Amino acid sequence: MKAPELKADSLLRRANALRLSSKIISDGIRAGAFRSVYRGRGIEFSGVREYLRGDDVRSIDWNVTARMGKTFVKQFEEDRELILFLVVDASLSMQTGSSQKSRLYSALEIAALTAFAATHTNSPVGCVVFAKDILFGVEPKASHDQVLLLLSHFDNVLKSSYADKVERNTGSALGKALKGTAKMLKKRSLVLVISDFRTTGYEKPLAVLCTKHDVVAVRITDSCDLELPEIGTVPFVDAESGFVQRFPTNAASFRREWREEGRQRLERWRGICSRRGAVPLEISTDEDVAQKLQQFFSLKELK
């Protein structure tokens, strides 16, 4: 179902607000269930303390020891970084929604917030956006300019889709995007796959990606996936194929079947995530994206 008016605010114009909202998300990633994704890049001197029995004598700071008349040892902290990679679906089915935001806008908002979260720790972030084919890809890099570049790309995707100027390419390159991501990333990373997952052929590439990386499968849902407004018999258009069929939204039997099919589709997807090793996260178009991400990444354990 495509809403008559969908939100298309520029993400670049919202950059400052997005960066502020992303701070708590960053803290949650570092302290929550994904803290193990951080990799050590080296050690950094953090101070000294008095020598304790069992300390390595090689760590003694002889200059401080001579000045203080007591034995002191040097302390070091491991410098940590998080490599974040975003796989974002911009296929035609993502341009649907019954609220003021389409699935696509919600997906790109999630990508923008998590990209800004990486900047709080100067961590590399990269991205690939796909529809039927790969639209663009950016290798991980740590800089504020990198995030602004991504936001610029996201805005271009939004402008094209909402203006209906994109060539009508049906299908989804999700499997191809996952394969490319697995080849590109050399170090263990946190990968967010943001999609409605209304396609096939992605299970095996997802499983391969999960063997080497921490993968969160973010499913963009909409209230119409389970419930429809009672507005009589209306035409439904398949976003990918253009196929049109009329359905009686007032009929109790039809509404019951629609709801059950939606639930079964969701359960099948959860099963795929469980078998392949991805952590599932469902975010609806009518939810506060920043709040949902904060809650999710702050969890100490994920099922």
Side-chain angles (χ1 to χ4, degrees), residues 22-286:
S22 69
K23 180 62 170 67
I24 300 178
I25 298 171
S26 175
D27 293 341
I29 295 174
R30 283 182 292 178
F34 290 98
R35 60 188 179 279
S36 61
V37 183
Y38 281 86
R39 301 182 60 88
R41 293 181 296 179
I43 55 176
E44 183 178 352
F45 175 72
S46 63
V48 297
R49 62 166 173 80
E50 285 193 41
Y51 175 86
L52 298 175
R53 185 176 179 179
D55 284 341
D56 190 338
V57 295
R58 292 174 297 181
S59 65
I60 294 175
D61 189 320
W62 295 107
N63 290 329
V64 176
T65 297
R67 287 200 311 270
M68 303 299 294
K70 295 181 181 179
T71 305
F72 281 79
V73 294
K74 297 176 182 177
Q75 287 186 295
F76 298 88
E77 290 183 356
E78 188 176 19
D79 189 17
R80 312 285 275 182
E81 77 169 3
L82 164 73
I83 301 175
L84 175 67
F85 198 82
L86 308 164
V87 181
V88 185
D89 186 350
S91 61
L92 290 174
S93 64
M94 291 290 288
Q95 296 177 31
T96 62
S98 59
S99 70
Q100 289 303 303
K101 290 193 297 184
S102 69
R103 298 175 202 265
L104 177 59
Y105 189 90
S106 293
L108 294 175
E109 188 178 15
I110 291 167
L113 281 165
T114 49
F116 269 121
T119 66
H120 291 292
T121 54
N122 196 35
S123 297
V125 57
C127 180
V128 60
V129 176
F130 66 92
K132 179 182 179 181
D133 299 304
I134 304 300
L135 300 182
F136 71 85
V138 180
E139 292 190 2
K141 183 179 178 182
S143 75
H144 186 70
D145 288 344
Q146 171 88 335
V147 178
L148 294 181
L149 173 64
L150 292 179
L151 262 63
S152 178
H153 281 306
F154 295 164
D155 274 347
N156 287 337
V157 171
L158 286 171
K159 290 175 184 176
S160 298
S161 63
Y162 285 108
D164 202 26
K165 295 178 181 178
V166 179
E167 182 182 353
R168 195 172 184 83
N169 285 331
T170 60
S172 168
L174 177 56
K176 181 179 179 181
L178 295 176
K179 289 179 183 177
T181 298
K183 290 180 180 179
M184 179 190 298
L185 298 175
K186 305 304 179 184
K187 296 181 179 180
R188 189 172 187 85
S189 306
L190 175 59
V191 181
L192 267 65
V193 183
I194 311 169
S195 172
D196 59 4
F197 293 91
R198 295 192 174 192
T199 186
T200 58
Y202 68 86
E203 282 196 51
K204 186 175 180 180
L206 179 65
V208 171
L209 189 65
C210 289
T211 60
K212 295 184 178 180
H213 305 282
D214 290 82
V215 179
V216 180
V218 185
R219 187 183 184 101
I220 307 299
T221 63
D222 188 86
S223 59
C224 70
D225 293 346
L226 297 176
E227 300 292 342
L228 292 173
E230 297 184 43
I231 51 177
T233 300
V234 294
F236 284 68
V237 182
D238 182 274
E240 299 287 350
S241 65
F243 177 75
V244 180
Q245 185 168 349
R246 299 177 69 86
F247 290 115
T249 62
N250 285 345
S253 58
F254 169 75
R255 294 171 62 80
R256 184 169 54 252
E257 290 176 9
W258 180 276
R259 187 184 307 112
E260 183 59 27
E261 173 59 28
R263 287 175 178 168
Q264 290 180 8
R265 187 183 302 115
L266 194 57
E267 284 302 316
R268 287 194 295 269
W269 171 77
R270 289 170 180 161
I272 290 172
C273 291
S274 177
R275 292 193 303 272
R276 301 307 187 181
V279 179
L281 171 60
E282 299 155 32
I283 299 182
S284 176
T285 55
D286 57 10

